[in-house]
Amino acid sequence: MILEVDRLTKAFGGLIAVKELSFEVDKGELMGMIGPNGSGKTTTFNCIAGYYNPTSGKVIFDGKDVTRKSSHERAKMGIARTFQLVKPFHNMTVLENTMVGALTKGASLSEAEAKVEEILDLVGLKDVMKRKAKELPLAMRKKVELARALALDPKLLLLDEVVAGLNPTEISEMLEVIKEINRRGVTIIMVEHVMRAVMSISKRIIVLHHGEKIAEGPPEEIANSAKVIEAYLGEKYMI
Amino acid sequence: MKLGITDRSRLLLETVGIIVLFLIPPAIYATPYRLYLLHILILAMIYAVFGQSWNILAGYAGQVSLGHEVLLGTGAYASALLVYFYHMDPWLTLIASAAMAIVTGMALGAVTFKLRGFYFALATLAFAEMVRLIILAWSGVTRGAEGVPVPVPQPVNMFGFIIDFKSKFSWYYITLVFMIIAFYLTYKLTRSKYGLLFRSVREDEDAAASLGVNTFKLKMLAMLVSAAFAGIAGGLYANYMGYIDPAWEAGGVLSPFTGLDALVIGIVGGMGTVIGPIIGSLVRVGLGEYLRAYIGVAAGFDIFTFGAIVVAVVLVLPTGIWGYIDEKLLRGGVG
Amino acid sequence: MLSLEMVLALLPSSIVYGIFLGGLYAIIAVGLSMIFGVMKVINLAHGDFAMLGMYITFWLLTIFGVPPLLSLPVSFAVMFAVGFPFMWLVKPLFKRPLEEMINSSVILTYGASLALASGAQMIWTSNFRRVPNPYWGTTFSIGGIGLDMGYTVVFMFAVIVYLMLYFFLIRTKVGKAIRAVSQDPDAAALMGIDVDRMHTLSMGIGLGLAALGGSLLSLVYYLYPWVGEQLVLLMFIICVLGGLGSILGVFYGALIIGLAESIAVIFIPASIKDVVAYAIFLGILLIRPQGLLGGKM
Ligand SMILES: Nc1ncnc2c1ncn2[C@@H]1O[C@H](COP(=O)(O)OP(=O)(O)OP(=O)(O)O)[C@@H](O)[C@H]1O
Ligand SMILES: [Mg+2]
């Protein structure tokens, strides 16, 4: 087990975004997390990655309690993430964007450059590595986020809606990359709003609704769960 | 069109540039305005170091300071007070200048670096004005509103050269050497691992932290270097001008208008470029001297012009003069 | 050294004076808070619009003989109109990423502030001036507490204007639309609110209030071109204390600063009294940065 989330709760003033949420993730797993708008997926990620301090509950990573550790400490321990609203370093080249993670892990400039070359190749950004991030289209900026996270050599990768807003070709390309990353041993939690994308590549899915876990299991089971269908009812994105 | 200048030709250009700078005094020796010209250039070089100091913090690490005068001012005061009360050697007092500015900068950073960009900007304004008022009120130590005269140092014999501090020629070379060192160190720093990490903090703190960057520590590092430069610029300024005071009005080392100078130099020259502050300081000092002719006609015209220039540059030339040249004509590197 | 008795004797009128001062500050600061709340623009030129309001009152009186209190609506209207060209300057920044936008707005409005103040210096010179009015320096006393007539009048008007603003924002359709934009621009746009128009309106109202506050200030304080630079930081401190973007909070923040300043001058020279406000500001930033950040994402 690489990650254990234990009765995690996060409140913003009176609004409880995540409520008593518990789940575990095994080493090497590719787990999906879905839920309607505002169900607390991103907030959960923010608590795991250290962007927020949870109101209560614990986050255990790799056997260590990291609940009170800051983002950068967790990043160095091996938790990497992407942001739902992409946050590339706009005025830096793709190469420089990607090098940051390698540098914080102790690499020198030239080591970092050599190291990220392979990553850029993997995600398909090698041709544009000298371009500034702000010049790239959304699909590529999402890949920049992915590449940047990989340069940390993460043990756990949190992907927040990396295929949202992409066209079908771009989606299948991205899913291939994600599968490959997982095959190389990186544990992944993938948040998606649309179920279809996660269903095709993850073996286990958990479903959030109003900050609570309402279902957990293999994709087929989730797709047919009455509770889940109800939660999504009235949503414009259907299963 | 990109010229594709190589590192080699760039080095060549810089070498030529430095040689030209060294040759300016003998070249203008025969002109009747030589003292005036030298004075302008000396100020421009001190300002360039100060502008570079702001640029490291704001242009590279993204922490837009509006109270940068506090670093120059405390540095200037450290040197001036030591020279005035203890007759210390000005060279030694420059170390105190840097140290004093670093202490001030660390205090400022400790209070403000946990904050978002614009809170930082506001806090720097408040912090700088608070320090100015304290220095003004603490007259037992600082001589308060009277200011501090800084006597001209005795001539120094350095490797056989006699440096006479009454001579503008001496001062020209002193400030030139300091400027070259400051710019060289900036170049090295910004091309290093830390330069890249500074820029990641500037672009997006959350993203940087998510990649393992200790953003607080990095901002403190930028502040450290920035403060050392500003402090030394302040020490040089105090000794060159021979007098400093804590006035709010333009001209005071702790005046908000001194902070404005750093901002104008950095923005006009190009934030986040190494060369920018030289261009910015030439514009600032050159234009400032030109506009002085009109002060008699309408006091405030110079500041009006610089205010308007800042607005215009933010709107139409956000990367500044050198940023524009670098992006459009050269390789479009990091400046 | 001050004896305790002296302090106690001075305290009651200092407290009243502090509350009055706070009411005045609140009018100027609330516009700043609104502009930030609605557009995320840090308006460092805000104090200079108050300064312009002061000069409007001054000119109307000295040239046309308009009584100072009648110039309040004129001040508001003129700077409301100035809101349009000012908006035109600021608007191009909205296209930039948020962090860069905020930083650029800080620098741009700082430049604008210096240009406005030095522009005023070119027109009116840097002399200190006074708006002659019957309230200035007149005192009366209630229950043994000496009160300044000028500040009392100013406070009354400040409270009236504040209440009008409050009802405008809570009760009217436009006011509700402005609040909707400040809470969530995207949702507001989906609801069919013209976000651009609300931006311009709040800029106009914000600058108008600054000028109106300046006009009030001119009844009790000297005017000079750089008065805005002195004001703006205090106004920001007030907004931060009350929560940038909040309307009621600003009033409390203004009271705190008004009281802090009026009580401070019992103990320290008036020329350095702002140190207290700055120290409160920095102290709060140091202790509770997270409380001031608001929504982080
Ligand atoms: N910083 C914050 N301050 C206040 N409320 C917040 C904050 N962040 C999130 N929330 C609220 O918490 C709830 C959960 O939000 P969250 O972003 O985690 O949902 P999500 O499942 O990721 O939704 P989406 O599918 O839209 O990305 C929402 O109601 C949201 O408005
Ligand atoms: Mg989300």
Side-chain angles (χ1 to χ4, degrees):
Chain A
M1 193 178 14
I2 190 145
L3 179 75
E4 185 189 345
V5 171
D6 182 22
R7 281 167 295 158
L8 184 77
T9 299
K10 177 69 191 175
F12 297 104
L15 182 119
I16 300 176
V18 176
K19 194 170 171 188
E20 297 278 320
L21 175 66
S22 300
F23 64 87
E24 292 168 2
V25 184
D26 283 328
K27 221 168 233 167
E29 203 183 345
L30 197 171
M31 189 187 87
M33 185 191 286
I34 63 171
N37 254 321
S39 55
K41 306 178 296 285
T42 300
T43 306
T44 305
F45 268 15
N46 282 335
C47 291
I48 298 173
Y51 189 64
Y52 291 148
N53 277 328
T55 311
S56 66
K58 267 192 217 157
V59 178
I60 315 272
F61 172 69
D62 219 4
K64 288 179 240 26
D65 185 347
V66 296
T67 318
R68 297 286 146 193
K69 289 222 182 313
S70 58
S71 300
H72 67 91
E73 286 169 318
R74 293 190 212 192
K76 281 197 199 151
M77 291 171 73
I79 304 181
R81 70 171 302 180
T82 64
F83 291 90
Q84 181 175 354
L85 299 169
V86 286
K87 290 166 171 282
F89 303 127
H90 286 104
N91 294 303
M92 289 163 61
T93 64
V94 171
L95 178 67
E96 289 170 336
N97 264 273
T98 317
M99 282 164 68
V100 172
L103 292 175
T104 59
K105 295 273 289 199
S108 70
L109 274 182
S110 50
E111 286 163 4
E113 197 167 338
K115 177 178 163 188
V116 303
E117 202 147 315
E118 197 214 349
I119 295 172
L120 291 172
D121 208 18
L122 171 69
V123 301
L125 286 174
K126 207 157 186 190
D127 298 337
V128 294
M129 68 183 203
K130 295 281 182 201
R131 300 265 296 277
K132 288 197 173 151
K134 65 177 174 191
E135 298 164 1
L136 303 179
L138 179 70
M140 285 199 175
R141 275 186 270 154
K142 293 212 160 187
K143 282 185 175 173
V144 170
E145 293 241 326
L146 189 58
R148 206 167 62 168
L150 287 176
L152 272 172
D153 280 331
K155 296 190 187 117
L156 173 66
L157 182 57
L158 310 171
L159 302 177
D160 198 349
E161 306 208 9
V162 279
V163 302
L166 305 192
N167 68 36
T169 340
E170 291 166 340
I171 291 183
S172 56
E173 222 184 278
M174 187 65 101
L175 291 180
E176 278 314 307
V177 174
I178 292 169
K179 270 195 256 178
E180 175 58 26
I181 294 166
N182 182 236
R183 204 172 303 138
R184 295 183 184 192
V186 180
T187 311
I188 295 177
I189 309 180
M190 193 175 165
V191 156
E192 282 302 332
H193 196 106
V194 197
M195 250 199 201
R196 210 179 313 120
V198 217
M199 304 274 271
S200 64
I201 65 170
S202 52
K203 300 223 168 42
R204 185 164 69 104
I205 291 177
I206 66 174
V207 187
L208 298 190
H209 186 45
H210 292 317
E212 289 181 277
K213 185 168 80 177
I214 57 163
E216 174 169 2
E220 319 78 59
E221 206 175 285
I222 296 292
N224 297 319
S225 150
K227 244 182 167 178
V228 176
I229 293 170
E230 200 182 317
Y232 269 83
L233 222 63
E235 275 267 322
K236 53 182 170 178
Y237 304 94
M238 291 301 285
I239 305 167
Chain B
M1 184 196 66
K2 309 218 170 186
L3 291 177
I5 290 193
T6 61
D7 284 344
R8 203 130 155 234
S9 47
R10 201 171 165 136
L11 188 70
L12 188 73
L13 266 176
E14 279 156 10
T15 317
V16 171
I18 289 171
I19 293 172
V20 169
L21 284 174
F22 269 94
L23 292 179
I24 284 177
I28 62 173
Y29 194 78
T31 74
Y33 326 106
R34 60 172 187 267
L35 292 182
Y36 178 64
L37 279 175
L38 282 176
H39 174 66
I40 306 263
L41 289 171
I42 291 164
L43 282 184
M45 290 191 292
I46 295 176
Y47 271 82
V49 174
F50 182 44
Q52 188 67 279
S53 151
W54 185 83
N55 184 39
I56 289 167
L57 194 63
Y60 282 97
Q63 307 305 303
V64 176
S65 156
L66 299 181
H68 216 59
E69 69 272 16
V70 77
L71 301 178
L72 180 124
T74 48
Y77 261 90
S79 172
L81 290 173
L82 289 175
V83 172
Y84 179 80
F85 283 118
Y86 303 102
H87 313 291
M88 266 174 74
D89 183 355
W91 298 119
L92 288 179
T93 68
L94 285 185
I95 297 170
S97 288
M100 188 68 219
I102 287 172
V103 170
T104 311
M106 295 291 105
L108 177 59
V111 182
T112 57
F113 277 157
K114 294 240 162 69
L115 307 164
R116 284 288 146 133
F118 66 89
Y119 277 113
F120 175 76
L122 296 175
T124 52
L125 267 178
F127 184 87
E129 185 59 8
M130 192 170 85
V131 169
R132 188 183 74 81
L133 291 174
I134 291 171
I135 287 180
L136 184 64
W138 197 14
S139 48
V141 175
T142 64
R143 291 173 50 88
E146 266 181 75
V148 190
V150 191
V152 181
Q154 293 302 309
V156 178
N157 187 335
M158 229 180 165
F159 315 117
F161 290 101
I162 305 292
I163 303 180
D164 175 7
F165 291 96
K166 284 200 209 76
S167 149
K168 290 220 184 321
F169 286 90
S170 302
W171 273 105
Y172 180 90
Y173 286 110
I174 290 168
T175 45
L176 178 59
V177 167
F178 272 104
M179 183 181 79
I180 290 171
I181 293 172
F183 276 65
Y184 177 75
L185 291 177
T186 307
Y187 181 85
K188 278 294 175 201
L189 178 70
T190 56
R191 260 58 177 179
S192 75
K193 170 175 175 168
Y194 294 102
L196 205 153
L197 295 179
F198 282 161
R199 285 188 288 136
S200 77
V201 173
R202 172 189 75 193
E203 293 294 318
D204 195 308
E205 282 190 39
D206 298 330
S210 84
L211 296 167
V213 180
N214 185 343
T215 53
F216 183 78
K217 218 165 94 185
L218 269 220
K219 288 192 269 186
M220 279 300 224
L221 179 66
M223 177 63 95
L224 183 102
V225 181
S226 175
F229 283 10
I232 287 176
L236 286 172
Y237 182 85
N239 284 281
Y240 174 67
M241 298 301 277
Y243 172 75
I244 56 168
D245 69 26
W248 183 85
E249 285 76 19
V253 282
L254 287 158
S255 158
F257 298 103
T258 302
L260 169 70
D261 287 334
L263 187 98
V264 168
I265 292 166
I267 293 198
V268 171
M271 285 168 81
T273 71
V274 178
I275 302 295
I278 293 196
I279 298 177
S281 77
L282 281 175
V283 172
R284 166 67 190 84
V285 177
L287 197 57
E289 283 300 314
Y290 177 75
L291 292 172
R292 243 168 46 152
Y294 294 90
I295 285 181
V297 185
F301 188 59
D302 51 344
I303 292 169
F304 178 81
T305 309
F306 288 118
I309 286 178
V310 168
V311 173
V313 170
V314 171
L315 286 175
V316 301
L317 203 66
T319 51
I321 296 175
W322 186 255
Y324 182 83
I325 294 175
D326 189 53
E327 203 159 289
K328 289 276 141 55
L329 302 178
L330 308 177
R331 293 175 301 177
V334 292
Chain C
M1 244 3 251
L2 280 168
S3 71
L4 187 61
E5 277 128 82
M6 275 168 73
V7 172
L8 286 178
L10 289 169
L11 208 51
S13 58
S14 287
I15 288 174
V16 176
Y17 171 66
I19 292 172
F20 286 2
L21 194 61
L24 172 58
Y25 284 168
I27 292 296
I28 305 177
V30 74
L32 192 60
S33 190
M34 236 176 103
I35 291 171
F36 180 82
V38 175
M39 282 170 280
K40 302 287 170 286
V41 166
I42 296 289
N43 181 22
L44 283 172
H46 204 74
D48 302 284
F49 291 103
M51 175 272 295
L52 291 174
M54 296 176 89
Y55 277 104
I56 287 176
T57 300
F58 175 73
W59 254 6
L60 284 178
L61 178 69
T62 51
I63 300 179
F64 303 105
V66 179
L69 284 173
L70 287 185
S71 67
L72 296 182
V74 183
S75 257
F76 182 87
V78 172
M79 286 307 138
F80 182 87
V82 169
F84 289 80
F86 194 63
M87 196 62 207
W88 177 80
L89 270 186
V90 174
K91 211 170 192 168
L93 303 183
F94 294 178
K95 288 200 283 289
R96 304 182 186 173
L98 186 66
E99 215 135 313
E100 196 182 324
M101 187 287 264
I102 293 177
N103 272 347
S104 315
S105 82
V106 167
I107 300 174
L108 184 141
T109 56
Y110 188 55
S113 158
L114 295 160
L116 286 172
S118 53
Q121 187 183 348
M122 290 193 287
I123 300 173
W124 289 290
T125 77
S126 52
N127 291 343
F128 279 57
R129 294 167 195 271
R130 238 192 71 172
V131 171
N133 67 82
Y135 319 112
W136 185 296
T138 322
T139 53
F140 63 102
S141 85
I142 294 178
I145 300 173
L147 295 178
D148 182 294
M149 189 63 140
Y151 277 97
T152 312
V153 170
V154 164
F155 182 70
M156 274 163 34
F157 274 85
V159 169
I160 292 169
V161 172
Y162 215 88
L163 287 175
M164 281 165 62
L165 174 71
Y166 194 72
F167 280 104
F168 166 73
L169 288 174
I170 300 290
R171 287 287 155 79
T172 66
K173 216 172 145 204
V174 179
K176 282 178 186 160
I178 288 179
R179 283 193 303 139
V181 173
S182 95
Q183 265 151 31
D184 188 338
D186 297 332
L190 284 176
M191 282 159 57
I193 293 172
D194 183 346
V195 174
D196 263 12
R197 210 173 122 238
M198 294 310 138
H199 280 174
T200 311
L201 263 178
S202 2
M203 183 62 91
I205 295 173
L207 301 191
L209 286 170
L212 197 157
S215 290
L216 283 175
L217 179 64
S218 70
L219 295 178
V220 291
Y221 198 72
Y222 295 95
L223 49 151
Y224 55 99
W226 296 98
V227 68
E229 312 298 307
Q230 196 193 335
L231 281 174
V232 71
L233 196 51
L234 280 184
M235 297 306 125
F236 265 110
I237 292 172
I238 287 167
C239 289
V240 170
L241 288 179
L244 253 179
S246 139
I247 301 297
L248 265 185
V250 169
F251 204 84
Y252 302 130
L255 286 183
I256 295 175
I257 292 301
L259 285 169
E261 296 229 306
S262 66
I263 293 173
V265 293
I266 301 179
F267 304 98
I268 61 175
S271 60
I272 62 162
K273 70 175 192 311
D274 287 349
V275 165
V276 177
Y278 302 152
I280 291 177
F281 180 54
L282 293 172
I284 286 192
L285 293 184
L286 188 61
I287 302 161
R288 268 192 72 80
Q290 74 278 22
L292 302 162
L293 293 176
K296 222 174 149 195
M297 213 171 181

